[in-house]
Amino acid sequence: MEHMISLFVRSIFVDNMIFAFFLGMCSYLAVSKNVKTAFGLGVAVTFVLLVTVPVDYALQTYVLGPGAIVTGVDLTFLAFILFIAVIAGMVQLVEMIVERFSPSLYASLGIFLPLIAVNCAIMGASLFMQQRVTMEPTNAQFIGGFGDAIAYALGSGIGWLLAIVGLAAIREKMAYTDVPKPLQGLGITFITVGLMALAFMCFSGLNI
Amino acid sequence: MSKLFSNENKAAFTNPLSMDNPVTVQVLGICSALAVTSQLKPAIVMGLSVTVITAFSNVIISLLRKTIPNRIRIIVQLVVVAALVTIVSQLLKAYVYDVSVQLSVYVGLIITNCILMGRLEAFAMQNGPWPSFLDGIGNGLGYAAILVIVGFVRELLGFGTLLGYNVIPQFLYDAGYKNNGMMVMPAMSLIIVGCVIWAHRSINKEKK
């Protein structure tokens, strides 16, 4: 239990998907123009993470891992194809749910909803999970069961949500500032994210 | 022969190098561009891997474009890309193991690199194999160019080395020069890419 809480907090602040690993940058930069849409996308990403990481954990443990099906057979090289198939399926599901229950959110997310399938944060979380399964159990990043996998997925999703809502709020204010012409739009956004990442670095010494 | 290198084909190859650069203009493939560039060597390996994968997945999808049913094209594209990435990842593990450890999950994340999906959707689905191949190479190299620039700046200022060789002369260190540890931090790559975009936009505007 203690380890799960530690994993959860670490993946929000220390191993933040955006600021430490730059995962999910494309949609992060494109959908962060207003807070409401950003929040919607953040929730969608968190939900997809919450479903895919435990499913991929099960696949890794019971199908792919060394000796999981037949002793002495290591199928980990198939991970890319299997993980991406799970993710694509889950995104389809989320798309259908959002379209049914919140058509306005569906319209404002537009193309970026199906693009969650190719959001690196989702694939990245599964691949990091695969890496963390093989770590020493004493390591703070170790994932050793479904509980850990869920805590990690939830933490990563909330970290991503926090980052995109923060950036959207800053960009809403920034619309009124006088930025040099060639730096406008993308350039200044990058530099803003850089400064936010610097701020998040102060969490890196956090030991829980 | 002249048909193979017609103006249109040449444009497919040269446009993405600067005018239509995938990273600075189209804003694709940011995640890996930021994460792998703390040193020059992984940046080069990553750039080449993406170039090869983009070129060949473009060719394969372009050959299949008339037989793929429109509804399931995303899945087909993902599977083709995932298969190519698996091959490249195994090759990297076999021949440049240290770099593949350094790149860690980012090799797998080439699957979700937006450059690939973007080019497949926007170019390979409408064009023949040969222009698609050139387009893939061009976009891959445009991406690699940005990676190399960022990797160059970060390794030079952060470690005082290039490709692992010392390039800052000793007397500068004796005179009080210090390596800038900040450059090694992930946050700085965002700010450097922001500056590259700034420079790129101001130059391109002058041309017009």
Side-chain angles (χ1 to χ4, degrees):
Chain A
M1 192 63 207
E2 218 172 87
H3 184 66
M4 275 166 61
I5 296 170
S6 146
L7 255 183
F8 176 70
V9 177
R10 278 188 68 96
S11 51
I12 295 180
F13 293 109
V14 184
D15 298 330
N16 189 289
M17 278 288 167
I18 292 280
F19 298 131
F21 301 112
F22 311 112
L23 296 178
M25 269 290 165
C26 305
S27 41
Y28 178 71
L29 293 172
V31 192
S32 56
K33 286 193 184 100
N34 99 29
V35 173
K36 208 168 160 235
T37 325
F39 186 78
L41 185 70
V43 172
V45 166
T46 310
F47 181 75
V48 176
L49 272 174
L50 207 50
V51 181
T52 51
V53 173
V55 172
D56 285 345
Y57 175 79
L59 277 176
Q60 166 70 23
T61 327
Y62 300 113
V63 181
L64 294 172
I69 300 183
V70 185
T71 330
V73 177
D74 185 355
L75 291 175
T76 22
F77 68 92
L78 286 177
F80 296 159
I81 292 184
L82 270 184
F83 287 0
I84 200 73
V86 169
I87 292 167
M90 287 305 154
V91 169
Q92 194 81 58
L93 193 69
V94 172
E95 201 184 340
M96 278 159 19
I97 295 172
V98 174
E99 194 181 7
R100 169 76 180 75
F101 290 104
S102 173
S104 65
L105 181 63
Y106 183 77
S108 63
L109 288 177
I111 181 71
F112 285 96
L113 194 56
L115 277 186
I116 296 180
V118 285
N119 185 323
C120 349
I122 314 281
M123 187 68 180
S126 288
L127 292 176
F128 274 121
M129 176 276 299
Q130 194 190 20
Q131 225 175 39
R132 286 165 175 225
V133 168
T134 55
M135 284 177 173
E136 295 290 315
T138 47
N139 194 315
Q141 296 182 325
F142 175 70
I143 289 178
F146 275 104
D148 289 357
I150 290 169
Y152 174 65
L154 190 62
S156 304
I158 291 179
W160 203 89
L161 174 75
L162 199 68
I164 194 170
V165 170
L167 181 65
I170 293 179
R171 282 181 82 176
E172 273 187 3
K173 292 271 177 259
M174 212 156 59
Y176 305 108
T177 53
D178 189 15
V179 177
K181 197 88 205 301
L183 197 57
Q184 267 170 17
L186 194 59
I188 192 69
T189 313
F190 264 98
I191 294 177
T192 314
V193 180
L195 295 175
M196 285 170 79
L198 276 183
F200 258 70
M201 262 166 48
C202 67
F203 287 115
S204 58
L206 204 66
N207 233 338
I208 323 157
Chain B
M1 195 66 191
S2 63
K3 207 181 156 200
L4 279 184
F5 292 98
S6 66
N7 279 346
E8 274 169 41
N9 286 354
K10 228 185 273 169
F13 176 68
T14 52
N15 263 356
L17 289 183
S18 167
M19 283 300 288
D20 206 12
N21 188 288
V23 178
T24 57
V25 181
Q26 306 176 41
V27 207
L28 299 174
I30 307 287
C31 328
S32 49
L34 296 168
V36 300
T37 49
S38 68
Q39 278 164 307
L40 199 49
K41 196 175 169 195
I44 293 173
V45 172
M46 186 72 179
L48 288 181
S49 314
V50 171
T51 308
V52 170
I53 294 172
T54 320
F56 283 100
S57 60
N58 258 359
V59 170
I60 294 173
I61 292 296
S62 157
L63 287 173
L64 293 174
R65 73 185 187 280
K66 289 186 181 127
T67 48
I68 303 174
N70 206 30
R71 287 183 65 91
I72 59 158
R73 65 181 194 287
I74 303 271
I75 300 275
V76 175
Q77 290 165 357
L78 280 177
V79 169
V80 168
V81 174
L84 284 169
V85 171
T86 310
I87 295 169
V88 168
S89 143
Q90 299 292 322
L91 282 177
L92 288 182
K93 269 187 196 148
Y95 292 106
V96 278
Y97 186 72
D98 53 329
V99 179
S100 94
V101 170
Q102 232 175 340
L103 290 175
S104 77
V105 299
Y106 293 99
V107 180
L109 287 176
I110 297 178
I111 299 173
T112 53
N113 194 320
C114 338
I115 293 178
L116 284 159
M117 294 303 285
R119 291 332 289 171
L120 291 178
E121 277 285 284
F123 200 92
M125 289 300 282
Q126 283 96 36
N127 290 284
W130 174 246
S132 303
F133 181 74
L134 287 179
D135 179 78
I137 297 266
N139 275 287
L141 289 181
Y143 168 83
I146 302 294
L147 255 71
V148 168
I149 294 173
V150 180
F152 178 84
V153 174
R154 285 180 77 189
E155 185 169 357
L156 184 66
L157 298 180
F159 298 97
T161 57
L162 285 177
L163 289 171
Y165 298 105
N166 270 316
V167 287
I168 306 272
Q170 186 61 39
F171 68 83
L172 275 180
Y173 285 109
D174 294 338
Y177 176 83
K178 285 241 166 55
N179 286 333
N180 184 352
M182 275 276 286
M183 283 293 165
V184 186
M185 304 289 185
M188 280 314 286
S189 65
L190 281 162
I191 295 177
I192 294 173
V193 173
C195 295
V196 170
I197 292 173
W198 186 2
H200 186 260
R201 288 201 172 169
S202 0
I203 296 167
N204 268 3
K205 205 177 56 187
E206 280 162 23
K207 273 186 195 157
K208 283 174 199 163

